[in-house]
Amino acid sequence: MSRLPAPEFWRGQHVLVTGHTGFKGGWLSLWLSKLGAEVAGYALAPDTVPDFFSLCGVEGVLRHQIADVRALDALRGAVASFRPRVIFHLAAQPLVRASYARPMETYETNIMGTANILCAANEGASVERVVIITSDKVYAESDEAHGESAPLGGKDPYSASKACAELVAASYPLRAGLGVASVRAGNVIGGGDWAADRLVPDFFRAMLTGERLRVRNPRAIRPWQHVLDPLCGYMLAAEDVGVERVSWNFGPDDEAAVTVGALAEKLCALWGAGAAYELAPQAEAPHEAPVLRLSSAKARAELGWAPRLGLDEALRESVEWYRAFGSGADMKAFSTAQIEAYGSHE
């Protein structure tokens, strides 16, 4: 049976989450609060409309600060004021295609933002554990499933910036008593993601507005997984990391690494009447990796982590979330219920 985060570890724990206004950061903040942690958030304002942070009332469960991870003095102040024991660093420019349009912002945010977090943590006597969230895209392109020791790479600014963040995490001089874990997940899906140029948000935007999904690269293979699976892994990594540096992959089972076209077919079948997509290839599209796969054998063996939601379950949970949103449901209550139900999956 796969492990779940331990309430006794998180209860009363001071935890700083950078990027708490984003999709994964919002879900993580809700979960940590439910476990009894005292949470502070440090991030820019949400950059989509709608957004998970606002829909789910995340501001009400934490100490909320709008600030930039590129601002080192502000980060130092946040750490000194809140005195976290654990930091989760999710703040980033997270999109491949946006990184082509804004490469300098991507490099500054993802590389120097990571260095700033480690600097602030290193100077903050309260901090014992830092979890740096990167990406499956840090690895050099290959058809093989990447293990944690696979070569780093990056043929686009986003992937390269995250690979550089890994090097920063592996090399920043750390004081005694501070442990750092870097964690890499696959293509994360779930309710509340409204980012541009991502297949699942694009699908639900199209369905909720009566449009048709446009798929630009149906043959690309991605390791799809529900957001709660890697978040569970991130918390287990924080519980287990000692005064060391360690890296973890938290990817789905092999059968969840399917093509974009296959995922679109599954989404249409789950949504039902009116759901369809059309191919819209782009002749001069920027480069994106054709195949991404992760090996999570290390996390299974050493952390006792395993994905609890298979691909069909992950898609079903996502469809249910967006249907609830479309019907005007209380999305904080709905999302909290999905977190509560997560432990019953196996």
Side-chain angles (χ1 to χ4, degrees):
M1 182 176 295
S2 60
R3 278 177 63 194
L4 289 167
E8 61 273 17
F9 177 89
W10 296 104
R11 194 174 299 117
Q13 195 81 264
H14 275 220
V15 183
L16 175 64
V17 178
T18 73
H20 67 291
T21 58
F23 166 53
K24 285 204 291 186
W27 275 102
L28 178 60
S29 297
L30 277 186
W31 198 345
L32 287 166
S33 176
K34 187 177 183 311
L35 289 169
E38 297 291 328
V39 186
Y42 180 106
L44 297 176
D47 62 357
T48 65
V49 179
D51 65 274
F52 183 90
F53 176 79
S54 302
L55 287 172
C56 295
V58 177
E59 184 173 356
V61 305
L62 47 66
R63 177 170 155 179
H64 172 54
Q65 180 176 353
I66 294 295
D68 196 319
V69 292
R70 293 173 291 182
L72 177 56
D73 286 345
L75 264 176
R76 284 171 164 151
V79 171
S81 172
F82 185 63
R83 296 184 56 79
R85 184 183 176 203
V86 179
I87 297 176
F88 289 99
H89 176 46
L90 294 93
Q93 192 299 98
L95 301 173
V96 171
R97 290 169 71 87
S99 77
Y100 283 104
R102 304 192 302 277
M104 290 305 296
E105 175 192 334
T106 302
Y107 295 135
E108 290 167 358
T109 302
N110 296 353
I111 302 172
M112 288 309 301
T114 300
N116 287 345
I117 283 290
L118 290 171
C119 177
N122 211 38
E123 295 172 358
S126 66
V127 184
E128 297 179 7
R129 305 154 194 244
V130 182
V131 180
I132 305 291
I133 285 75
T134 63
S135 169
D136 59 346
K137 297 175 181 65
V138 301
Y139 295 110
E141 291 183 13
S142 166
D143 290 349
E144 302 299 318
H146 301 294
E148 286 85 350
S149 61
L152 299 177
K155 292 186 177 180
D156 60 83
Y158 169 76
S159 301
S161 73
K162 285 296 194 177
C164 287
E166 291 281 353
L167 294 175
V168 171
S171 63
Y172 194 94
L174 302 179
R175 60 168 165 79
L178 180 60
V180 174
S182 65
V183 295
R184 307 150 185 175
N187 276 45
V188 175
I189 63 176
D193 187 3
W194 301 100
D197 295 322
R198 283 182 179 162
L199 176 66
V200 174
D202 286 348
F203 174 83
F204 290 113
R205 258 191 300 271
M207 296 307 100
L208 293 169
T209 56
E211 300 175 0
R212 181 173 291 209
L213 174 68
R214 295 168 64 84
V215 174
R216 65 179 182 269
N217 193 1
R219 293 191 179 91
I221 295 173
R222 297 289 183 265
W224 310 95
Q225 60 190 138
H226 192 272
V227 62
L228 295 180
D229 272 331
L231 293 184
C232 175
Y234 300 169
M235 286 187 276
L236 296 182
E239 291 176 22
D240 281 40
V241 68
V243 288
E244 59 186 340
R245 302 178 205 254
V246 63
S247 298
W248 302 102
N249 286 344
F250 298 108
D253 291 331
D254 291 344
E255 58 266 25
V258 302
T259 66
V260 167
L263 195 84
E265 294 281 0
K266 286 178 174 290
L267 282 168
C268 289
L270 280 168
W271 189 265
Y277 72 93
E278 61 187 39
L279 299 182
Q282 296 177 343
E284 298 182 3
H287 174 80
E288 295 183 68
V291 178
L292 290 171
R293 290 190 176 95
L294 284 178
S295 168
S296 303
K298 179 183 172 185
R300 289 174 180 269
E302 299 183 19
L303 288 180
W305 175 89
R308 287 174 170 260
L309 295 168
L311 180 57
D312 290 340
E313 291 173 302
L315 292 173
R316 189 159 45 249
E317 295 263 313
S318 303
V319 167
E320 290 172 357
W321 196 99
Y322 285 99
R323 283 197 188 280
F325 164 75
S327 68
D330 179 336
M331 296 316 298
K332 180 179 181 180
F334 193 91
S335 302
T336 301
Q338 287 196 329
I339 292 171
E340 291 171 348
Y342 176 76
S344 66
H345 295 276
E346 193 60 54

mmCIF file of all heavy atoms in Angstrom, residues 7-25:
data_model
loop_
_atom_site.group_PDB
_atom_site.id
_atom_site.type_symbol
_atom_site.label_atom_id
_atom_site.label_comp_id
_atom_site.label_asym_id
_atom_site.label_seq_id
_atom_site.Cartn_x
_atom_site.Cartn_y
_atom_site.Cartn_z
ATOM 1 N N PRO A 7 -0.129 13.082 8.993
ATOM 2 C CA PRO A 7 -0.677 14.261 9.686
ATOM 3 C C PRO A 7 0.146 14.673 10.890
ATOM 4 O O PRO A 7 0.286 15.869 11.173
ATOM 5 C CB PRO A 7 -2.085 13.800 10.085
ATOM 6 C CG PRO A 7 -2.430 12.722 9.117
ATOM 7 C CD PRO A 7 -1.140 12.019 8.830
ATOM 8 N N GLU A 8 0.731 13.694 11.584
ATOM 9 C CA GLU A 8 1.503 14.039 12.783
ATOM 10 C C GLU A 8 2.773 14.822 12.432
ATOM 11 O O GLU A 8 3.287 15.587 13.266
ATOM 12 C CB GLU A 8 1.871 12.779 13.571
ATOM 13 C CG GLU A 8 2.733 11.762 12.853
ATOM 14 C CD GLU A 8 1.936 10.758 12.026
ATOM 15 O OE1 GLU A 8 0.742 11.020 11.736
ATOM 16 O OE2 GLU A 8 2.513 9.715 11.682
ATOM 17 N N PHE A 9 3.291 14.659 11.226
ATOM 18 C CA PHE A 9 4.446 15.454 10.813
ATOM 19 C C PHE A 9 4.040 16.883 10.488
ATOM 20 O O PHE A 9 4.746 17.836 10.837
ATOM 21 C CB PHE A 9 5.125 14.824 9.593
ATOM 22 C CG PHE A 9 6.295 15.625 9.063
ATOM 23 C CD1 PHE A 9 7.570 15.407 9.557
ATOM 24 C CD2 PHE A 9 6.114 16.595 8.082
ATOM 25 C CE1 PHE A 9 8.647 16.154 9.092
ATOM 26 C CE2 PHE A 9 7.189 17.351 7.609
ATOM 27 C CZ PHE A 9 8.453 17.125 8.109
ATOM 28 N N TRP A 10 2.889 17.051 9.818
ATOM 29 C CA TRP A 10 2.514 18.357 9.294
ATOM 30 C C TRP A 10 1.723 19.213 10.277
ATOM 31 O O TRP A 10 1.698 20.435 10.147
ATOM 32 C CB TRP A 10 1.718 18.176 7.994
ATOM 33 C CG TRP A 10 2.559 17.553 6.930
ATOM 34 C CD1 TRP A 10 2.523 16.259 6.502
ATOM 35 C CD2 TRP A 10 3.612 18.192 6.200
ATOM 36 N NE1 TRP A 10 3.472 16.040 5.536
ATOM 37 C CE2 TRP A 10 4.165 17.209 5.327
ATOM 38 C CE3 TRP A 10 4.140 19.479 6.193
ATOM 39 C CZ2 TRP A 10 5.212 17.504 4.458
ATOM 40 C CZ3 TRP A 10 5.191 19.766 5.320
ATOM 41 C CH2 TRP A 10 5.710 18.791 4.480
ATOM 42 N N ARG A 11 1.117 18.590 11.266
ATOM 43 C CA ARG A 11 0.273 19.349 12.197
ATOM 44 C C ARG A 11 1.099 20.409 12.925
ATOM 45 O O ARG A 11 2.075 20.106 13.603
ATOM 46 C CB ARG A 11 -0.390 18.399 13.188
ATOM 47 C CG ARG A 11 -1.522 19.020 13.983
ATOM 48 C CD ARG A 11 -2.217 17.967 14.834
ATOM 49 N NE ARG A 11 -2.808 16.909 14.011
ATOM 50 C CZ ARG A 11 -2.445 15.635 14.042
ATOM 51 N NH1 ARG A 11 -1.459 15.246 14.843
ATOM 52 N NH2 ARG A 11 -3.036 14.739 13.280
ATOM 53 N N GLY A 12 0.718 21.671 12.774
ATOM 54 C CA GLY A 12 1.408 22.773 13.424
ATOM 55 C C GLY A 12 2.704 23.196 12.762
ATOM 56 O O GLY A 12 3.343 24.158 13.207
ATOM 57 N N GLN A 13 3.101 22.513 11.698
ATOM 58 C CA GLN A 13 4.356 22.814 11.005
ATOM 59 C C GLN A 13 4.251 24.133 10.244
ATOM 60 O O GLN A 13 3.256 24.392 9.564
ATOM 61 C CB GLN A 13 4.645 21.693 10.016
ATOM 62 C CG GLN A 13 6.042 21.629 9.468
ATOM 63 C CD GLN A 13 6.979 20.947 10.422
ATOM 64 O OE1 GLN A 13 7.658 21.628 11.176
ATOM 65 N NE2 GLN A 13 7.018 19.628 10.412
ATOM 66 N N HIS A 14 5.255 24.981 10.334
ATOM 67 C CA HIS A 14 5.313 26.196 9.525
ATOM 68 C C HIS A 14 5.880 25.841 8.153
ATOM 69 O O HIS A 14 7.020 25.378 8.047
ATOM 70 C CB HIS A 14 6.185 27.248 10.208
ATOM 71 C CG HIS A 14 5.445 28.060 11.216
ATOM 72 N ND1 HIS A 14 5.633 29.413 11.382
ATOM 73 C CD2 HIS A 14 4.485 27.718 12.103
ATOM 74 C CE1 HIS A 14 4.838 29.870 12.331
ATOM 75 N NE2 HIS A 14 4.134 28.852 12.790
ATOM 76 N N VAL A 15 5.071 26.067 7.107
ATOM 77 C CA VAL A 15 5.443 25.675 5.750
ATOM 78 C C VAL A 15 5.265 26.873 4.824
ATOM 79 O O VAL A 15 4.192 27.479 4.779
ATOM 80 C CB VAL A 15 4.570 24.508 5.239
ATOM 81 C CG1 VAL A 15 5.029 24.068 3.849
ATOM 82 C CG2 VAL A 15 4.602 23.329 6.208
ATOM 83 N N LEU A 16 6.302 27.214 4.088
ATOM 84 C CA LEU A 16 6.234 28.268 3.083
ATOM 85 C C LEU A 16 6.099 27.638 1.710
ATOM 86 O O LEU A 16 6.890 26.761 1.344
ATOM 87 C CB LEU A 16 7.499 29.134 3.137
ATOM 88 C CG LEU A 16 7.633 30.223 2.059
ATOM 89 C CD1 LEU A 16 6.522 31.265 2.206
ATOM 90 C CD2 LEU A 16 9.009 30.879 2.116
ATOM 91 N N VAL A 17 5.100 28.083 0.953
ATOM 92 C CA VAL A 17 4.872 27.601 -0.412
ATOM 93 C C VAL A 17 5.057 28.776 -1.363
ATOM 94 O O VAL A 17 4.287 29.742 -1.309
ATOM 95 C CB VAL A 17 3.450 27.017 -0.576
ATOM 96 C CG1 VAL A 17 3.226 26.572 -2.028
ATOM 97 C CG2 VAL A 17 3.228 25.850 0.373
ATOM 98 N N THR A 18 6.088 28.729 -2.207
ATOM 99 C CA THR A 18 6.170 29.730 -3.265
ATOM 100 C C THR A 18 5.329 29.238 -4.443
ATOM 101 O O THR A 18 5.260 28.043 -4.708
ATOM 102 C CB THR A 18 7.611 29.983 -3.723
ATOM 103 O OG1 THR A 18 8.076 28.875 -4.501
ATOM 104 C CG2 THR A 18 8.531 30.219 -2.528
ATOM 105 N N GLY A 19 4.687 30.164 -5.121
ATOM 106 C CA GLY A 19 3.812 29.760 -6.223
ATOM 107 C C GLY A 19 2.464 29.252 -5.761
ATOM 108 O O GLY A 19 1.803 28.492 -6.472
ATOM 109 N N HIS A 20 2.012 29.693 -4.582
ATOM 110 C CA HIS A 20 0.741 29.194 -4.028
ATOM 111 C C HIS A 20 -0.470 29.685 -4.803
ATOM 112 O O HIS A 20 -1.567 29.149 -4.642
ATOM 113 C CB HIS A 20 0.618 29.612 -2.562
ATOM 114 C CG HIS A 20 0.463 31.095 -2.375
ATOM 115 N ND1 HIS A 20 1.481 31.979 -2.634
ATOM 116 C CD2 HIS A 20 -0.590 31.852 -1.960
ATOM 117 C CE1 HIS A 20 1.070 33.216 -2.384
ATOM 118 N NE2 HIS A 20 -0.177 33.164 -1.981
ATOM 119 N N THR A 21 -0.298 30.705 -5.647
ATOM 120 C CA THR A 21 -1.422 31.198 -6.444
ATOM 121 C C THR A 21 -1.591 30.417 -7.738
ATOM 122 O O THR A 21 -2.529 30.670 -8.502
ATOM 123 C CB THR A 21 -1.238 32.678 -6.778
ATOM 124 O OG1 THR A 21 0.011 32.840 -7.484
ATOM 125 C CG2 THR A 21 -1.213 33.533 -5.518
ATOM 126 N N GLY A 22 -0.696 29.481 -8.006
ATOM 127 C CA GLY A 22 -0.786 28.675 -9.215
ATOM 128 C C GLY A 22 -1.602 27.411 -9.012
ATOM 129 O O GLY A 22 -2.126 27.136 -7.925
ATOM 130 N N PHE A 23 -1.681 26.620 -10.056
ATOM 131 C CA PHE A 23 -2.492 25.392 -10.054
ATOM 132 C C PHE A 23 -1.988 24.380 -9.014
ATOM 133 O O PHE A 23 -2.692 24.043 -8.051
ATOM 134 C CB PHE A 23 -2.462 24.809 -11.469
ATOM 135 C CG PHE A 23 -2.953 23.399 -11.616
ATOM 136 C CD1 PHE A 23 -4.192 23.018 -11.140
ATOM 137 C CD2 PHE A 23 -2.159 22.453 -12.242
ATOM 138 C CE1 PHE A 23 -4.649 21.711 -11.281
ATOM 139 C CE2 PHE A 23 -2.602 21.150 -12.392
ATOM 140 C CZ PHE A 23 -3.843 20.777 -11.909
ATOM 141 N N LYS A 24 -0.755 23.925 -9.144
ATOM 142 C CA LYS A 24 -0.231 22.958 -8.180
ATOM 143 C C LYS A 24 -0.049 23.571 -6.801
ATOM 144 O O LYS A 24 -0.320 22.930 -5.780
ATOM 145 C CB LYS A 24 1.098 22.375 -8.676
ATOM 146 C CG LYS A 24 0.939 21.357 -9.785
ATOM 147 C CD LYS A 24 2.116 20.405 -9.868
ATOM 148 C CE LYS A 24 3.377 21.059 -10.347
ATOM 149 N NZ LYS A 24 4.476 20.076 -10.544
ATOM 150 N N GLY A 25 0.419 24.809 -6.750
ATOM 151 C CA GLY A 25 0.619 25.460 -5.464
ATOM 152 C C GLY A 25 -0.667 25.644 -4.683
ATOM 153 O O GLY A 25 -0.684 25.520 -3.448
#
